[in-house]
Amino acid sequence: MVQGLDRLKRKLTVTIPARVRERTRAAMEKGANELVAMMKNFAPVDDGDLRDSINWTWGDAPKGAFVFAKSEPNDAGERITVYAGGTNSRGVDVYWHFWQEFGTRHHPPSPFFFPSWRTLRRRIKGRITREMKKGIREGAK
């Protein structure tokens, strides 16, 4: 019988996936926080409702919110969602984010999502990949 086979199986089925999931989740949260911060920085401010409604969550966005981006669900069914809108603190529906991003006939566009995403996309994806590799190395020790 091969020595250490049980230990190897445990690492491949339990330890490594747990480390990868843990590190990937943290990297995704950090990337979402960066993206939301940049979007809020670029968002036009009139009364602040649009800026204040930009956020991220694990799972689905709140009812009535416009989803800008969401990840593919992982093996546990978790996914991260970046959104804007929904209902603000005064109970008013905030839904004009689409008009701000792309403009209307009477108002020029004030893009805040796509410039943020294009700026951070490579950094976020690279961070997630690096953290996954670190998780594999940690789990294999």
Side-chain angles (χ1 to χ4, degrees):
M1 183 93 188
V2 177
Q3 289 182 340
L5 188 58
D6 291 337
R7 189 169 148 230
L8 176 63
K9 284 182 182 178
R10 189 172 48 254
K11 281 186 179 187
L12 291 175
T13 59
V14 178
T15 308
I16 292 174
R19 299 274 186 186
V20 170
R21 200 171 12 261
E22 182 181 299
R23 286 189 157 277
T24 302
R25 185 176 174 95
M28 289 174 70
E29 288 178 0
K30 187 172 183 178
N33 283 325
E34 273 185 280
L35 180 61
V36 166
M38 186 175 277
M39 286 172 63
K40 285 183 176 189
N41 190 38
F42 286 163
V45 178
D46 182 20
D47 56 7
D49 284 343
L50 174 61
R51 182 196 61 221
D52 296 342
S53 74
I54 300 170
N55 213 336
W56 69 271
T57 186
W58 285 102
D60 295 327
K63 185 178 180 191
F66 180 80
V67 175
F68 286 109
K70 62 182 169 183
S71 65
E72 292 294 322
N74 64 11
D75 56 346
E78 296 177 322
R79 73 168 173 251
I80 206 162
T81 305
V82 178
Y83 65 90
T87 305
N88 68 11
S89 59
R90 296 187 304 272
V92 177
D93 284 334
V94 181
Y95 54 85
W96 62 94
H97 38 274
F98 187 79
W99 298 331
Q100 289 290 335
E101 182 78 17
F102 299 107
T104 65
R105 182 172 11 156
H106 302 294
H107 298 287
S110 298
F112 58 95
F113 170 71
F114 288 108
S116 301
W117 175 244
R118 282 191 295 268
T119 301
L120 295 176
R121 174 179 42 204
R122 289 181 62 196
R123 181 189 310 177
I124 292 170
K125 287 181 178 182
R127 179 184 300 125
I128 292 169
T129 302
R130 281 190 309 277
E131 291 300 317
M132 290 173 82
K133 289 178 181 179
K134 286 179 185 176
I136 291 169
R137 283 193 297 270
E138 281 179 4
K141 286 183 181 178

